[in-house]
Amino acid sequence: MALDRLTIKSIRARPLILKLERPIVARIATISDWPVILIDLSTNEGVVGRSYLEPYTAKAMKYIVAALEDFGELLEGHAVAPTEIFELTRKSLHFVGYQGVSMIAVSGLDMAAWDALAKAANLPLCVLLGGTVGPVKAYNSNGLWLTDPAQLGEEAAILIQEGGFAGLKIRLGRTTADQDLRAIEAVRAAVGPDVHLMADFNQGLDLAEALVRCQSVDSLGLDWIEEPIVYDNLDGYARLASQLKTPLQIGENFYGHRDLHRALQMKACDLVMPDFMRIGGVTGWLKSAAIAAAFGAPISTHLYPEVGAHVMRVSETSHWLEWQNWVNPILKQPYEIVDGMLHIPAVAGVGLDWDEAAIGVRD
C-alpha cells in the first residue's frame, strides 16, 4: 500500500476500568482500579492503528476522550503522517498549553498513527523506524509496593519467576527509613546479589527528607533511585544528583522532549525514563532519545511495554524496559517475556489487538 495515500477516516476512544492484580500502594496514592483508554484510528483504506492510554485517574478520561474525538473531526481525510499530525494536533491546543491533558491526547493519537503507518507498510514498527525485530531487556515492575517488608521476599521470588527476570523495582517511602531498609534487605535476601534492584520513591519525599533518605540507601548497590521528590523540582534534583553515587532516575513526568533536555542540561538526573503518554508518543520519544544520546544518558521506558520495545530497538542509549502487564487482560495476544527479555512479535505495526469479548465484560 502506498503510505502517502493512507488517510484518516475516524478516531474512536473507549474508556475502561481494569482491576489491578497487585494494587498500587505508594506514599502519594493507592490505586486498585486502573483506567485505560483504547484508541482506534481507522483509515479510508481499511487499516486500523491502535494504541492505549493509562491516565491514572478515571475522572481524567472524559477530558482526554473528548480531545481525541475532536482530533477525529480535525484530521478527517488527513494523511497518516505522524510527524505532521503531532505538530498539527499539538498546535490546535496551543491556547490551553502543551502539557497536561493536551500532550496526553496528542501522545495517544501519535502512537495509533505510527501503528497504522507500520501496518500499511506491512512492517513491525521497529523495522519501519530503521531497526530489527529482537528481544529487549526488561525488569519486572508489577509489585513490591509499600506493603509489609516481611512479605516482600516471597513476592520478589514470584516476580522473578514470572519471566526469568534479572531485575525488579521496589517502592520506597515508608514511614521510617528503617522500614525501607528492611524492605530492601528482605528482597535482596530472597533474590540474591546478582538481581538488579531499582528503587522508586514515587515523589513521596520533600527535599529535606530526600537529602537524608536517599543517603540511607546510597550504599546498597541499587541500580537507581527514582523520583524521590516532586517531579518538577529540578533544582532539588540537581542538588540530590550532585550528592549521590547511586544514579538518579527521573522522566516519567516529562511533558515533551524540551523537559528532558532541560533536566539533562541542569544535571538534575543521571538517567531518563520518559512515559509515552506524556513525552509525545513515538514522535516525542524519538526526539527525546536523540537528546539523551547526545548527552550520553541511558534511556529507559515507563509503562507501555509494547510500543516501548519497538523504540528501544532504535534508541542509541537504550537501558531498561519497564514490564507491567496491566492491560494484558484485554489484549488478544500479550507480548511474551522469556529469560527477562521482552520478545517483539514479527507482525506488522506494534502488535496490539483488542480482545473484544474481554472488553465487553469490563465496559
Side-chain angles (χ1 to χ4, degrees):
M1 181 181 296
L3 300 188
D4 60 345
R5 297 178 184 172
L6 195 67
T7 56
I8 294 174
K9 180 180 180 181
S10 64
I11 296 167
R12 182 187 187 194
R14 291 181 283 173
L16 294 173
I17 299 292
L18 303 179
K19 284 288 184 182
L20 293 177
E21 179 184 356
R22 298 183 181 98
I24 294 170
V25 182
R27 193 167 184 177
I28 62 171
T30 297
I31 303 173
S32 57
D33 294 331
W34 190 241
V36 177
I37 300 172
L38 305 183
I39 302 170
D40 295 279
L41 185 157
S42 298
T43 69
N44 291 302
E45 295 71 29
V47 176
V48 179
R50 294 188 175 93
S51 68
Y52 62 86
L53 293 168
E54 300 170 292
Y56 292 91
T57 60
K59 289 182 179 180
M61 291 199 291
K62 62 182 179 181
Y63 306 109
I64 300 167
V65 167
L68 288 163
E69 291 173 344
D70 286 346
F71 289 160
E73 296 178 11
L74 173 70
L75 296 169
E76 186 175 354
H78 195 283
V80 181
T83 302
E84 287 187 11
I85 291 171
F86 181 85
E87 291 301 327
L88 179 60
T89 52
R90 204 166 61 100
K91 289 176 180 177
S92 75
L93 296 170
H94 172 82
F95 289 111
V96 295
Y98 287 149
Q99 299 190 335
V101 170
S102 296
M103 182 60 85
I104 290 171
V106 169
S107 299
L109 175 59
D110 180 85
M111 289 186 280
W114 277 106
D115 183 48
L117 196 66
K119 284 178 176 175
N122 197 30
L123 294 171
L125 177 59
C126 58
V127 176
L128 181 71
L129 295 175
T132 58
V133 172
V136 178
K137 180 177 68 172
Y139 67 92
N140 196 341
S141 190
N142 278 311
L144 303 184
W145 297 99
L146 297 188
T147 52
D148 184 354
Q151 301 173 355
L152 293 184
E154 181 180 354
E155 183 179 346
I158 294 171
L159 290 170
I160 289 289
Q161 295 168 6
E162 286 181 350
F165 289 97
L168 298 175
K169 180 181 284 185
I170 184 173
R171 277 68 180 193
L172 304 181
R174 291 168 176 80
T175 305
T176 67
D178 181 66
Q179 291 173 324
D180 279 345
L181 291 174
R182 288 193 288 114
I184 294 172
E185 290 169 358
V187 171
R188 184 58 76 191
V191 302
D194 297 328
V195 168
H196 296 268
L197 194 58
M198 301 79 170
D200 187 356
F201 280 98
N202 295 109
Q203 307 178 72
L205 310 178
D206 59 37
L207 181 57
E209 284 181 295
L211 289 167
V212 176
R213 297 283 287 265
C214 291
Q215 291 285 356
S216 72
V217 298
D218 197 24
S219 61
L220 300 182
L222 299 170
D223 276 48
W224 68 60
I225 296 172
E226 183 178 336
E227 283 201 326
I229 59 177
V230 66
Y231 75 92
D232 60 354
N233 185 359
L234 295 184
D235 290 321
Y237 276 112
R239 185 175 174 187
L240 285 167
S242 70
Q243 296 185 18
L244 298 172
K245 61 184 179 182
T246 304
L248 192 59
Q249 173 78 277
I250 65 174
E252 67 183 75
N253 289 290
F254 291 154
Y255 280 99
H257 60 284
R258 292 186 182 89
D259 280 359
L260 181 142
H261 180 267
R262 187 179 303 112
L264 290 173
Q265 196 171 46
M266 291 179 61
K267 299 182 179 179
C269 58
D270 306 288
L271 312 168
V272 290
M273 57 180 310
D275 180 286
F276 291 92
M277 179 179 76
R278 297 188 179 100
I279 203 63
V282 174
T283 299
W285 174 280
L286 296 175
K287 295 173 184 285
S288 299
I291 294 169
F295 277 89
I299 188 168
S300 297
T301 67
H302 182 260
L303 301 182
Y304 308 95
E306 300 86 9
V307 70
H310 285 270
V311 298
M312 288 286 272
R313 295 287 300 176
V314 297
S315 298
E316 181 180 337
T317 57
S318 62
H319 192 200
W320 283 93
L321 180 138
E322 181 177 41
W323 171 247
Q324 286 169 309
N325 60 5
W326 298 346
V327 301
N328 278 12
I330 52 91
L331 297 181
K332 272 190 179 179
Q333 189 61 51
Y335 275 31
E336 291 185 356
I337 293 280
V338 180
D339 295 329
M341 307 291 282
L342 186 147
H343 291 261
I344 298 171
V347 299
V350 173
L352 293 175
D353 196 6
W354 312 136
D355 183 339
E356 293 294 344
I359 290 170
V361 171
R362 294 166 171 81
D363 194 355

